[in-house]
Amino acid sequence: MKRLRTRRHEVVLNRSAGGDVGITVLLAILGVFMFIPMYYTVIQSLKPLNELFYFPPRFYVVHPTLDNFGNLFNLMSDSWVPFSRYIFNTVLISVGGTFGNLVLSSICAYALAKIDFPGGKQCFWIIQKSLMFSATVGSIIKFIILTWLGWIDTYLAVIVPAWCSTLGLYLMKQFMESNVSTAILESARLDGASEFRTFWSIAMPMVKPAWLTLIIFSFQGLWQMGSSEYIYSEQLKTLNYAIGQITAAGITRAGASAAATVVMMVVPIIVFVISQSNIIETMGSSGMKD
Amino acid sequence: MSKNTEKKVKTRREMTKAQWTWFLVRRNKMAYFMVAPFMILFFLFTIVPVFLSLLLSFTSFNMLEPPKFIFMDNYITLFLDDDLFLTALKNTLIFAVIVGPASYIISFAVAWFLNELSPRVRAVATLVFYAPSISGNVYLIWATMFSGDAYGYVNGVLLKLGLIDTPILWFTNTKYIMPLCIMVALWTSLGTSFLSFIAGLQGIDKSLFEAGSIDGVRNRWQELWYITLPSMKPQLMFGAIMSITGSFGFGGIVSALAGNPPTDYVGYTLSHHLSEYQGNRWEVGYASAITFLMFLLMIGANLLVTKLISKLGE
């Protein structure tokens, strides 16, 4: 009889020990390749000036310092528009855009997933197809439409289009389809609950992982938005844009720019760490059934 | 009997198809109110722009004077008279053909390898692989690592080892721009599709593997081909769309690392060409022709690949 391999007290099928080793090595190499630049960014931000320009460059830091972060904040306070304004803009755009996207997408996703009405399938079909091209494709006409609405150079030009980003809606709809049981909704409807009531008090609490995922994807995108082609005024520009201006000064600000990158990347990474299991749960139903 | 009850409700059979649809529409009024806000904005900012850009691509338009109809002239100029466009198209296709499939395969392979690890290790490893794609400008560190002077890490090491005697100008030397940008693009490309694969692999019914083993699946590769891939078709489809769409819009990384335009237009892509005509020259009709071609490329590639994936395992 074939001897069965076990791993963590479970029988392992179809896995040779050699293959396991080979794959682990390959994964480790790839992992190091992925990790080194991230690590190097953090190390650069902690290096004092003389170590930044040390030859040969070092992959570690001898006298770690937070000076670069201090410099970054000094540079920020020197800017023409008060730095708090950039932070305010980014927060306003991220929160406003994400909130609207969450509300509109989840209401729409509920109707598409759980109500069978003429036209619903066609709506979803076109949303699915819209995942097949990027927003760049429509950017010129979007400019014309925004001009026509009179929204150019206002917050609305970036916030409102974010409301109808389709990835969140798509994930929400797929998740509702597989995780909200129609029987429960039917019984609520029979009890006389309105469609909106069923959505709000029954469906929404059942799809918490999906809203968290939608919030995170939308927030990540908006948080990292740099300069937008629809906004000219300096007072309306974002944090990422302002940091870009600081780091654009080049080699003299190598330390401060590494510190800036660290500041910008820490937020999305922490958010992902906290919500990883919810995101993975949502992505479980992300599949496309043609 | 009162008159009310005599006014009988028609049944499905007595209605024409149009009447029945109208009945369903009225009964589900609420659904339309729920869908409307999103769909209106979605049409306004996503669908209408695509169709209008098709219309504008047949005109000469500078946003000040009304558009002049010139039929195919923009397209003719693009293909016959604009060498830079052909360079951009070629580079975009090279990037798409390399980065799209490579990022797709790497995302899947890594997700598949990670699936063997214990949940806690897997969570950490997922973060390591996923982090570059969500960390915004972090890819700029590649400019520091491959900086053209002796303080760039790679040059430093090569100089120290005596492999080179003068620093290499990585991001200005035409020989290295494309490969480096492709490498950086791949580094940031383990994004949404990667997460979708991880989740999809966890969702496969374990009893399928046992059944497969009894039915003669001998090793992990057979298991992958006969069980794992076919059960993940929906995720593979979604992931393909995410990877392909991303790979055609490529350009930001090139501008950030090699400059815009890069040396001798190596690595110059359609999105650079578009921003040149749209942002700097205001030739909206011409730019619309470029966007419409980009739209066709993306949709075409996506439809082709999703068709291929749906054939998988059949």
Side-chain angles (χ1 to χ4, degrees), chain A residues 55, chain B residues 154-168 170 176:
Chain A
F55 182 84
Chain B
V154 176
N155 275 334
V157 169
L158 293 177
L159 283 170
K160 190 88 207 268
L161 293 175
L163 291 171
I164 51 173
D165 31 9
T166 43
I168 297 177
W170 294 102
Y176 300 115

Side-chain angles (χ1 to χ4, degrees), chain A residues 22-76:
Chain A
I23 279 176
T24 312
V25 170
L26 191 60
L27 194 61
I29 294 171
L30 276 172
V32 168
F33 170 75
M34 297 303 282
F35 185 67
I36 278 180
M38 302 299 274
Y39 166 81
Y40 199 56
T41 309
V42 177
I43 288 300
Q44 285 289 81
S45 75
L46 297 176
K47 281 181 181 172
L49 195 62
N50 61 335
E51 283 189 54
L52 276 170
F53 298 104
Y54 185 84
F55 182 84
R58 286 197 189 123
F59 225 62
Y60 51 90
V61 46
V62 185
H63 303 290
T65 160
L66 290 176
D67 284 357
N68 292 322
F69 291 88
N71 279 342
L72 177 66
F73 290 107
N74 286 338
L75 284 167
M76 285 175 170

